[in-house]
Amino acid sequence: MQILETIGAFILAIGILVLIHESGHFIVAKTMGVKVLRFSIGFGPALISRRWGRDQTEYVIAALPLGGYVKMLGEQGGESASAEDSKRAFVNLAPGKRFLIALAGPLANLLFAVVAYAGVAWLGIPGLAPIVGLVQDHSPAAHAQLQPGERIAMLDGQAVHTWEDVRLGLLSAAVARTPVTLQTIGNNGARLNHVLRLQTLAADSVGPDFVSKVIGMEPYLPAVIGAVQSHSPAQQAGLAVGDRILAVDAHEISSWEELARQVESHPGKAIQLRYLTAQGLAKTVHLTPQMFLDKSGKPIGRIGILMAPLPGNLIVLRQRGPLEGFIYGVRTTWQMSLMTIVMIVRMVQGFVSPDNISGPITIAEYAGQSAHAGLAPFLSFLGLVSISLGVLNLLPIPILDGGHLMFYAVEMVRGKALPAVVVQKAQQIGIVLLLMLMSFAFYNDIMRLLTP
């Protein structure tokens, strides 16, 4: 059932974004007086097909939902047309008008992102409080002297409200190779400044799980038991729902992530747990984590407990008014668009890991998760993917909108179109590049499924 929900959310998301993109081309083309022959969402055989309007434009929903297109009279050549219709052919437009039609699709995606992020701001998304729960030894976070329990209040002078704000801020600074200053509130209420020197990070360091694996810190998740599995070491030792783990052997436990790391590192080896019961009683037990193999074949320990739901004081929900929400939508779209461009440049330079490239499997997974979480998370997902679609389509790669923009710009400068053979060769190269990119994205998807 969950798979069907994921597939449904993915098809809905792609359908919305393709509709927005192609509507941009369609509306501007109609405004320019071009005769549109077909407006298709998806490729392949038509599932639904209807003709409407003075031009009897065919509106199609096709079987393969991974894209769409607007077919205009004279765009590809070879269509028979009356003398009157020939005046409305795409090929007979001035190159500046063709440029605007090609530009309209990516711009529509960026405008939709503004609306989507504004909707997110108006509705609000519950987020995790920006409290440090774990700092790994010898990590950039440790060198900056961050301590578990500190609450991050500001990042480079900008207020921080959730852990997601921290993650995006650190990612943006790392991609730009600039240091970042975190202002935190300590356990005693004092305000502290910590400088993370992200400009010194090694090449290819920006990738999945960047904050935990590279920066070396995790958010605070209370080490409180929410469920105990039957016949597990935890049940046999008498652990119960509501117990808070304080220490594993002599190691103090400050968060659930730290507890998980300690237990996983002792497969088949006896450990001592010190904890507080839900009634506040201090207790100590000895147990031996069961040994399991993760997906890479590495032995890890499990004691059969699940984390308790987060308390309300660790959940942050910020809602904005109409004007503030719209400003947030514009600002977020600009920042995410700029970061996408910088990440592409850094990826070519070798600083950003190509593991960040996601294919349809990962996108479908995120679509299902965000749709299950609610309308605001789904809008946030749509905004992010819409920005990616808009920016990527502006790249000067033949066959993409950016490639067409490049051809039309050259035509405006030269005063005449490029030779057909040049355009054809360039498009063939563009197809090869896209196939290579798609193959790499599928490879990343498969590796993510196989990697723990």
Side-chain angles (χ1 to χ4, degrees):
M1 188 65 180
Q2 185 177 1
I3 294 178
L4 293 178
E5 291 178 358
T6 297
I7 294 174
F10 174 68
I11 293 175
L12 176 63
I14 295 300
I16 291 172
L17 297 178
V18 170
L19 176 63
I20 295 296
H21 182 92
E22 299 304 334
S23 292
H25 293 310
F26 177 81
I27 292 171
V28 175
K30 296 288 283 185
T31 302
M32 298 290 183
V34 177
K35 182 174 182 178
V36 178
L37 304 177
R38 182 179 297 121
F39 184 118
S40 179
I41 303 300
F43 299 105
L47 301 177
I48 301 174
S49 176
R50 295 289 185 273
R51 292 185 180 274
W52 280 304
R54 178 173 65 93
D55 292 333
Q56 285 295 287
T57 301
E58 183 183 17
Y59 297 87
V60 176
I61 296 179
L64 187 61
L66 299 177
Y69 61 94
V70 171
K71 182 179 179 181
M72 294 169 280
L73 179 66
E75 184 178 14
Q76 297 174 342
E79 301 104 337
S80 58
S82 64
E84 181 180 351
D85 280 347
S86 294
K87 299 177 183 178
R88 301 176 60 201
F90 176 81
V91 71
N92 292 329
L93 288 179
K97 291 185 176 181
R98 281 180 271 142
F99 187 95
L100 292 177
I101 293 174
L103 182 63
L107 285 185
N109 281 122
L110 298 178
L111 290 175
F112 174 77
V114 171
V115 175
Y117 279 121
V120 169
W122 297 328
L123 294 171
I125 294 182
L128 189 62
I131 301 173
V132 179
L134 173 67
V135 176
Q136 298 176 18
D137 295 337
H138 312 297
S139 66
H143 292 154
Q145 299 183 336
L146 281 158
Q147 298 295 323
E150 292 185 44
R151 187 185 188 105
I152 301 172
M154 304 191 80
L155 190 152
D156 279 345
Q158 297 293 321
V160 167
H161 301 282
T162 66
W163 189 262
E164 181 65 9
D165 293 340
V166 176
R167 190 187 72 84
L168 289 176
L170 292 177
L171 182 63
S172 179
V175 169
R177 296 186 68 85
T178 59
V180 65
T181 299
L182 298 180
Q183 186 181 92
T184 65
I185 302 174
N187 296 323
N188 59 358
R191 287 190 175 263
L192 307 167
N193 287 325
H194 306 274
V195 178
L196 290 166
R197 304 191 182 282
L198 304 184
Q199 75 274 22
T200 63
L201 294 178
D204 200 33
S205 61
V206 180
D209 301 323
F210 166 74
V211 175
S212 61
K213 292 183 178 179
V214 178
I215 302 300
M217 66 180 185
E218 302 273 2
Y220 172 63
L221 303 172
V224 177
I225 298 175
V228 179
Q229 297 174 346
S230 299
H231 311 296
S232 65
Q235 186 187 57
Q236 293 169 7
L239 293 172
V241 172
D243 290 346
R244 178 186 290 271
I245 310 300
L246 302 177
V248 176
D249 294 332
H251 191 93
E252 298 293 326
I253 297 299
S254 59
S255 71
W256 184 269
E257 282 289 340
E258 196 165 9
L259 170 62
R261 289 173 188 269
Q262 287 297 314
V263 171
E264 287 179 356
S265 65
H266 290 82
K269 299 177 181 179
I271 58 174
Q272 174 184 282
L273 290 185
R274 181 161 53 86
Y275 66 99
L276 284 178
T277 67
Q279 294 73 35
L281 299 176
K283 291 188 175 183
T284 300
V285 295
H286 292 81
L287 50 79
T288 301
Q290 293 176 316
M291 186 176 71
F292 293 89
L293 298 179
D294 64 17
K295 292 180 180 179
S296 65
K298 177 184 176 182
I300 57 174
R302 292 280 189 266
I303 61 174
I305 58 175
L306 300 176
M307 188 179 74
L310 293 175
N313 65 336
L314 291 181
I315 303 297
V316 179
L317 177 64
R318 187 186 181 199
Q319 295 174 299
R320 296 169 172 84
L323 179 59
E324 187 184 6
F326 177 75
I327 294 173
Y328 172 84
V330 173
R331 185 175 65 249
T332 303
T333 299
W334 168 253
Q335 292 173 342
M336 297 301 292
S337 300
L338 185 61
M339 189 167 73
T340 301
I341 294 171
V342 174
M343 284 192 72
I344 292 172
V345 173
R346 295 297 192 194
M347 197 175 297
V348 173
Q349 293 174 338
F351 181 70
V352 173
S353 171
D355 292 343
N356 288 282
I357 299 175
S358 297
I361 298 175
T362 300
I363 295 173
E365 183 180 356
Y366 287 152
Q369 292 173 354
S370 62
H372 184 75
L375 178 58
F378 189 59
L379 281 176
S380 181
F381 166 79
L382 288 177
L384 179 60
V385 180
S386 192
I387 288 172
S388 298
L389 184 60
V391 171
L392 290 176
N393 262 283
L394 288 173
L395 295 179
I397 298 176
I399 202 174
L400 294 180
D401 291 327
H404 294 300
L405 293 174
M406 179 177 62
F407 293 147
Y408 302 147
V410 171
E411 183 177 349
M412 284 187 281
V413 173
R414 295 178 75 236
K416 60 181 179 179
L418 288 170
V421 65
V422 173
V423 174
Q424 184 180 18
K425 290 293 184 181
Q427 289 179 338
Q428 289 173 349
I429 294 173
I431 291 173
V432 172
L433 291 174
L434 282 181
L435 288 176
M436 291 172 61
L437 181 62
M438 290 174 60
S439 299
F440 191 78
F442 271 112
Y443 171 79
N444 279 349
D445 281 354
I446 294 170
M447 293 306 297
R448 288 189 185 105
L449 292 176
L450 298 178
T451 303

